[in-house]
Amino acid sequence: MLANKTNPLAANFDDYDLLIEQMELEVREVTGEEKTKLTNRLKAYTNEMKRFDQDLKKAKVAFSDQEGRHELLSGEDSHNSEDQRARLLDNTERVERSGRQLDEGYRMCVETEQIGVDIMDNLHRDREVIERARERTRATDKNLSKSSRILTGMMRRIIQNRIIMAVICLAILGVIGLIIYYATK
């Protein structure tokens, strides 16, 4: 019923759009102060037309809602009712499938989260092991440095002892040589 009345309205809206476009073209050709006045009027007409168009759309939606309610409540057409039931069952199955898929996705998310927590725990433990190994390495390095210093000191003393021993041996040989020289003389 409203559809028959809205067709001429839609044609009038199309005519109005054409008129607006023609007005825009004519306003472009005008110059000066009159152009700004005509541009303002054209904007006002365009805004008013948009408001009328929105009102028409709202009326169409309201009327279609009323017609849909009337069809649902009247229940005259059993074929439409069966189609609606079939669509409803189809949609219900889709919703159930979607629900199952969502549950499966949620389960996978929970499993992934648990795996992530386990990995984080393993990484934490590995970090602690690495830190302990690093501390042991530092302690070993300190001990090796200390041992190296001690060994270097020992080597110096050994060399000093050998030099002293060589000097003493030379001195003894010199004394023995002198004794033999004076004894044979």
Side-chain angles (χ1 to χ4, degrees), residues 54-67:
Q54 290 173 350
D55 290 345
L56 178 65
K57 287 178 183 176
K58 287 178 186 176
K60 282 181 183 180
V61 168
F63 185 75
S64 66
D65 286 348
Q66 289 176 354
E67 275 188 348

Side-chain angles (χ1 to χ4, degrees), residues 95-161:
V95 168
E96 288 175 357
R97 273 193 306 246
S98 297
R100 285 192 297 269
Q101 288 174 346
L102 285 173
D103 288 342
E104 181 66 21
Y106 179 73
R107 187 185 60 77
M108 287 177 64
C109 285
V110 169
E111 287 177 5
T112 304
E113 182 183 11
Q114 185 59 43
I115 290 170
V117 167
D118 292 344
I119 289 171
M120 291 298 288
D121 287 343
N122 287 341
L123 288 173
H124 182 69
R125 276 187 250 121
D126 291 348
R127 180 180 179 194
E128 289 175 351
V129 168
I130 289 171
E131 286 177 355
R132 278 182 283 180
R134 185 177 293 152
E135 288 300 318
R136 286 184 199 137
T137 304
R138 286 182 187 144
T140 303
D141 188 40
K142 286 179 184 176
N143 290 336
L144 283 175
S145 297
K146 189 175 183 180
S147 298
S148 175
R149 277 184 265 133
I150 291 172
L151 284 174
T152 304
M154 289 172 70
M155 288 299 288
R156 269 192 232 127
R157 282 191 213 119
I158 289 173
I159 291 171
Q160 284 175 352
N161 287 342

Side-chain angles (χ1 to χ4, degrees), residues 88-100:
L88 181 63
L89 288 174
D90 215 20
N91 288 339
T92 304
E93 288 177 18
R94 284 185 196 157
V95 168
E96 288 175 357
R97 273 193 306 246
S98 297
R100 285 192 297 269

